[in-house]
């Protein structure tokens, strides 16, 4: 039993390819600070990597967090703030709508969101007209512009052990 459990974890974490267009070309870049061997990049570090590392075709930026879906039945969900190009870097085609555009990924840009397929089905009943609807999230109104494909997980979701349910532009 223990051997089967260990193999199941190893197979799922190490042997199964990541579900991205070119998983062999996807890497996670971390920063290291004194006392912390793996921590988030600062915005300035990210800008530096983008400008000075020609080995990267592109570099995305994202961070995880939590948000509350407001309404009659408030629900706390895992969230992420991402830059506009993250879905294209991962080669993800959204199930409905689109990802973020550059105009949304700037300070003061439109308040938009992309939801996971699982959240769309669970919370919004799989409503086919979800794209273009406004939802209340953590006290703010957001326009839904897209729905992720079923089963999609951000790279950090594998480590966290749970799926991100809503995405916002990082507004850099």
């Amino acid at each position: 039993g223990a051997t089967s459990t260990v193999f199941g974890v190893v197979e799922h974490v190490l042997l199964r390819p990541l579900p991205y267009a070119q998983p062999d070309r996807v890497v996670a870049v971390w920063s290291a600070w004194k006392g912390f061997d793996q921590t988030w990049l600062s915005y300035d570090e990210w800008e530096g990597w983008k400008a000075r590392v020609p080995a990267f075709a592109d570099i995305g930026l994202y961070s995880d967090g939590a948000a509350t879906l407001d309404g009659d039945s408030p629900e706390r969900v895992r969230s992420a703030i991402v830059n506009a190009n993250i879905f294209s870097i991962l080669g993800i085609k959204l199930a409905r709508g689109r990802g973020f555009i550059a105009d949304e990924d700037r300070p003061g840009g439109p308040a938009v969101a992309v939801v996971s397929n699982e959240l769309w089905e669970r919370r919004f009943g799989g409503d086919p007209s979800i794209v273009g609807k406004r939802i209340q999230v953590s006290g703010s109104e957001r326009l839904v512009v897209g729905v992720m494909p079923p089963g999609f997980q951000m790279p950090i979701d594998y480590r966290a052990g749970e799926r991100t349910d809503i995405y916002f532009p990082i507004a850099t």
Side-chain angles (χ1 to χ4, degrees), residues 32-159:
W33 301 345
K34 186 176 183 177
F36 300 95
D37 62 345
Q38 189 179 59
T39 188
W40 299 107
L41 293 177
S42 71
Y43 181 78
D44 289 339
E45 288 173 311
W46 174 69
E47 284 287 338
W49 282 87
K50 272 181 32 178
R52 294 188 291 277
V53 181
F56 294 138
D58 204 347
I59 183 168
L61 186 65
Y62 66 91
S63 181
D64 61 337
T68 301
L69 298 172
D70 302 326
D72 294 337
S73 302
E75 180 182 358
R76 194 83 168 147
V77 296
R78 185 172 166 82
S79 67
I81 55 171
V82 302
N83 64 320
N85 66 341
I86 198 76
F87 302 136
S88 64
I89 287 173
L90 295 174
I92 301 304
K93 181 175 174 3
L94 274 67
R96 294 186 173 276
R98 60 170 175 80
F100 303 123
I101 57 174
D103 190 48
E104 295 161 344
D105 191 15
R106 62 172 174 73
V112 295
V114 169
V115 298
S116 72
N117 191 280
E118 292 72 17
L119 179 67
W120 172 59
E121 290 177 352
R122 180 182 76 246
R123 179 80 181 201
F124 305 104
D127 178 2
S129 65
I130 187 69
V131 173
K133 287 198 173 180
R134 297 192 175 279
I135 61 174
Q136 289 289 318
V137 182
S138 300
S140 298
E141 188 175 81
R142 298 274 181 162
L143 178 69
V144 176
V145 296
V147 176
M148 298 303 290
F152 174 77
Q153 289 185 276
M154 289 291 287
I156 199 165
D157 292 348
Y158 292 96
R159 187 176 194 176

